Amino acid sequence: MKLSIIIPVYRNETTLERCLTSVVGQTFRDWELILVDDGSPDGCPQLCDEWARRDPRIHVVHKENGGLSDARNAGLEVAQGEYVTFVDADDWLDEHTFSRMMPVANSCDLLEYPIFCHYGSPRQQLVQPGDHVYDDAADYWLQGHAYEHSYACNKVFRRSLFEQVRFPKGRVFEDMATLPLLLEKAGSIRTTSQGCYFYTENAEGITNTAGGRELQMLLESHLQAMRRWQDDRYYMHVLDIQLDVCRLTGRAPLLPTRRLSPFTHGLSPVQRLKALLLYLLGIKTLCRIHTTVRRR
């Protein structure tokens, strides 16, 4: 079997049919689908069982609620495919996605494909990684700006990468904590312009509801990644997270001051201003200024 598709299910009664229809309707057929009912209190468990009765390639795992990471991990425990991918039950795929990208995935350990973020909202944006081959995880992370779209859902992984890796249970932004661990084990990484994952806007999702505690977890994951890979643009990306953590928690910054030129290539005008203030004042003062301005 070529591909295991893992879908955690929890309170997705209104979107699950659309999601499963898009998966079962794929023109690529060599897959198994693992639905992980994470103790959903609505009609999702019954819907999962109904779909499994329709197609022998669909398997259902019923378990007590443990969160997204725990559900994905439960799917990994039973997955049999050479490759594995994750789909959220709120989302869906273009019907030719797997048939177009699996021939590319055959030649690498990790493949990223296009994702339409916040689809259907004013914030919708197509992340198009293009067609690239990376033999070095650092190049993918920094030159490909993978840290800006470290989602698990628009990637195909060789399943062996997960032999000693699992998603961290009880943490949010779990993708950011996990992807660097997988990249360290990947020999070849590719991106493709083929296929499309539609990630829908969820007003109750962690991206829209994250507070200081949740952003602190995201920051800590980035700080771990920065021990492996770092450049000026990545630093500025993490700096924005640190500023919000300081504003929301009142805690001292964990990110060390890095003196960089405001004329660094690729920075936006706002980032250039932050880089200048960082250079002149240091990160503690910059955090205080950011907190004061945002409160006003």
Side-chain angles (χ1 to χ4, degrees):
M1 183 182 304
K2 182 60 69 172
L3 181 65
S4 295
I5 306 161
I6 298 174
I7 304 182
V9 179
Y10 184 76
R11 290 184 173 175
N12 304 111
E13 196 170 5
T14 60
T15 61
L16 186 58
E17 290 276 349
R18 178 185 65 186
C19 176
L20 297 183
T21 298
S22 78
V23 171
V24 174
Q26 290 291 306
T27 50
F28 176 83
R29 309 298 293 170
D30 188 12
W31 51 258
E32 66 170 354
L33 173 58
I34 302 168
L35 299 175
V36 183
D37 162 34
D38 192 32
S40 188
D42 54 10
C44 285
Q46 293 76 25
L47 280 173
C48 290
D49 290 338
E50 288 175 12
W51 276 85
R53 285 192 288 269
R54 299 179 202 173
D55 193 319
R57 297 172 298 173
I58 301 177
H59 315 289
V60 182
V61 175
H62 295 289
K63 59 181 287 296
E64 293 183 359
N65 179 251
L68 178 59
S69 287
D70 196 48
R72 286 176 174 170
N73 292 339
L76 286 168
E77 292 298 324
V78 299
Q80 298 296 313
E82 180 181 357
Y83 291 86
V84 62
T85 192
F86 303 93
V87 177
D88 291 341
D90 291 338
D91 306 333
W92 78 96
L93 303 161
D94 177 88
E95 66 176 328
H96 301 296
T97 293
F98 293 151
S99 63
R100 289 171 176 167
M101 70 182 187
M102 285 309 296
V104 183
N106 286 333
S107 61
C108 63
D109 295 321
L110 189 156
L111 175 69
E112 178 180 5
Y113 64 98
I115 181 171
F116 223 130
C117 295
H118 308 290
Y119 186 77
S121 80
R123 296 196 298 155
Q124 71 178 22
Q125 177 186 16
L126 177 63
V127 176
Q128 172 56 270
D131 300 296
H132 301 285
V133 179
Y134 300 94
D135 294 321
D136 187 337
D139 291 341
Y140 170 64
W141 193 252
L142 298 174
Q143 297 175 20
H145 310 297
Y147 54 83
E148 295 180 349
H149 35 91
S150 58
Y151 323 112
C153 57
N154 71 321
K155 296 173 180 67
V156 177
F157 307 89
R158 192 177 296 275
R159 186 166 59 90
S160 59
L161 296 179
F162 283 96
E163 286 180 356
Q164 303 296 326
V165 177
R166 288 294 185 268
F167 291 94
K169 184 178 179 181
R171 289 181 66 91
V172 295
F173 296 108
E174 62 288 326
D175 296 353
M176 179 56 221
T178 308
L179 183 58
L181 303 178
L182 300 171
L183 290 175
E184 282 194 327
K185 301 176 66 177
S188 177
I189 303 159
R190 298 189 65 167
T191 63
T192 179
S193 57
Q194 300 299 309
C196 192
Y197 184 104
F198 291 88
Y199 165 43
T200 59
E201 180 79 356
N202 182 354
E204 297 181 358
I206 188 61
T207 302
N208 290 319
T209 61
R213 174 179 173 273
E214 291 77 18
L215 289 178
Q216 176 93 12
M217 293 184 190
L218 177 61
L219 173 64
E220 290 169 354
S221 295
H222 276 293
L223 292 175
Q224 287 290 330
M226 290 178 78
R227 295 178 180 178
R228 304 176 180 91
W229 317 301
Q230 186 174 162
D231 65 7
D232 288 348
R233 289 189 64 179
Y234 183 31
Y235 181 91
M236 292 304 297
H237 177 83
V238 179
L239 175 63
D240 285 339
I241 301 170
Q242 177 66 86
L243 292 175
D244 283 336
V245 170
C246 287
R247 174 176 60 87
L248 293 169
T249 67
R251 297 175 182 170
L254 298 175
L255 181 68
T257 294
R258 176 170 175 157
R259 308 288 184 181
L260 65 158
S261 169
F263 302 105
T264 297
H265 175 72
L267 298 186
S268 68
V270 172
Q271 287 177 321
R272 294 187 190 283
L273 176 60
K274 290 177 182 176
L276 177 61
L277 294 174
L278 181 71
Y279 183 86
L280 296 174
L281 305 174
I283 193 168
K284 291 183 179 179
T285 302
L286 180 57
C287 284
R288 287 197 291 269
I289 293 172
H290 177 78
T291 298
T292 300
V293 170
R294 289 296 300 270
R295 285 176 178 172
R296 289 180 178 176

